[in-house]
Structures are given as C-alpha cells and as structure tokens.
C-alpha cells in the first residue's frame, strides 16, 4: 500500500506547517506528516518551510532573525509543539532546511534526538543526512535525489529516496528498488497523476491533498478532480 504523506500537513485545507494542518492530516488518516525544521533567533527549533517569512506572514525578512515569541504570534509552531500533537497518532518526516545556516544552534543533533523511532529525517543535503545518521544510527533517512545526489550514492546510507514528480521515471524507480531503497515522489496534487504513480508501485506520495490521495488509494478510477494551482516553493 502506498503511504499518504501529508506535505506540510494537509496544506490544501489549512495553512502549511501549522498545528491545524497537522491535525487535519491526522483526521484524514495520512500515514505521515512532512514538516520543515529551522531555528529561530533564540535557538528554538520551529516548523516553517521558507527561509524568509514574507509569503505566509505579515513579517518580512529571514526567519532566523526572529524570536520564537514573534513567530508564535503568527502561528508558527515549535517542533516540540508539533511532536506533542503527533506523537502516537501519526508518523513524522522532518526535513532539515538549510542546516548549515543554523550550525550554531546544533539543529541536526537536536532534531534527531526529538524524533520517535518510527519517524524519518529527510533532506536534499547528503552531508546533513550523514550527520543525522552519525548522531542516531538507527534513524531512517530519506534522500531527495536528482539535485546533486544520485540514486546510487543515496543507497550507501539512505532508507528511501525522494523523486521530484516532473523528473521521476520508471527506470529511476526500478534502479532505486534494485538498490534496496523505498521510493517516494513529491509533490503530487493531481488525481490522474496519483493513480499513475500508484500503478508504478511508488511506496509513498507527498501531497498537499492527502484526503484526495487517500480516496485514490481506496477507490477505483473515476473522473479526476482538477488540481488547485500551487504557489508553494519546491521541496
């Protein structure tokens, strides 16, 4: 069965990477919530995708220059708050965003220490995931491939790989499987495309529309619903 991975929570229904988005993903019955980890100016681990705050809040400029209190005023949760909400209810895929920018806050070590045994760390950065594995060897890691890291390289340390949907191929999926890797694809919001990827045997699909994906997995093919336009950045 293909995993339903709620991308930044149920982000088509609620504002991405917020407690309501994660609560909605749980209610839908997603298998994982995906979230993005950064650090506030005071070192607190917080959940937000963009490096800058402009797209989703009235604030301007880099997140890392704002305190936790300022961020909370605009609905940005701490990682601890999210994990309190999800623990025992849904598994987490935590993406480490630009960890090199937060080296002084030891984001990698602190994040992997907070995650549960069934949770996953993911990144575009090979170095970040190798550090995560060094800090906690039993933790599963997912490497996004095709942007500087090959499938073969990822097979040396990763449990799974993530393919960007416009670039995924049947050949790439088969290569990953031969190397013992689980396969995921991001970010898919179109019903027809979901069905195609399920037919290709993808292990997990990241979607802003986890309710639609859950419906796809539990029902026969029907006329596809149109995908909403997305202004969210990749990843």
């Amino acid at each position: 069965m293909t995993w339903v991975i709620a991308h930044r929570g149920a982000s088509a229904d609620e504002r991405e990477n917020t407690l309501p988005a994660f609560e909605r993903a749980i209610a839908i019955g997603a298998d994982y919530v995906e979230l993005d980890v950064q650090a506030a100016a005071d070192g607190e681990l917080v959940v937000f995708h963009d490096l800058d705050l402009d797209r989703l809040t009235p604030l301007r400029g880099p997140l890392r220059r704002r305190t936790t209190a300022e961020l909370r005023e605009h609905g940005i949760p701490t990682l601890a708050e999210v994990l309190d909400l999800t623990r025992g209810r849904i598994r987490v895929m935590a993406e480490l965003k630009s960890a090199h920018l937060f080296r002084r806050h030891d984001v990698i070590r602190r994040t992997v220490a907070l995650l549960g045994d069934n949770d996953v760390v993911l990144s575009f950065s090979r170095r970040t995931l190798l550090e995560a594995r060094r800090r906690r060897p039993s933790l599963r890691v997912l490497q996004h491939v095709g942007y500087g890291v090959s499938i073969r390289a990822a097979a040396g340390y990763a449990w799974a790989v993530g393919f960007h949907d416009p670039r995924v191929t049947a050949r790439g999926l088969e290569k990953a499987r031969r190397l013992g890797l689980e396969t995921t694809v991001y970010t898919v919001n179109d019903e027809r495309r979901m069905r195609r990827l399920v037919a290709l045997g993808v292990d997990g699909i990241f979607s802003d529309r986890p309710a639609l994906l859950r419906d796809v997995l539990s029902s026969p093919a029907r006329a596809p619903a149109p995908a909403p336009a997305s202004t969210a950045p990749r990843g």
Side-chain angles (χ1 to χ4, degrees), residues 100-114:
H100 64 283
L101 295 176
F102 307 104
R103 199 170 289 119
R104 71 190 179 96
H105 295 308
D106 211 0
V107 167
I108 299 173
R109 179 189 63 80
R110 292 166 60 210
T111 299
V112 302
L114 287 172

Side-chain angles (χ1 to χ4, degrees), residues 191 195 212 214-224:
E191 181 178 335
R195 292 188 184 281
L212 174 62
R214 177 58 71 205
D215 185 54
V216 163
L217 292 170
S218 61
S219 65
R222 53 182 171 79

Side-chain angles (χ1 to χ4, degrees), residues 12 45 52 81 106 145 207:
L45 299 179
D52 291 329
E81 288 171 333
D106 211 0
V145 294
S207 181

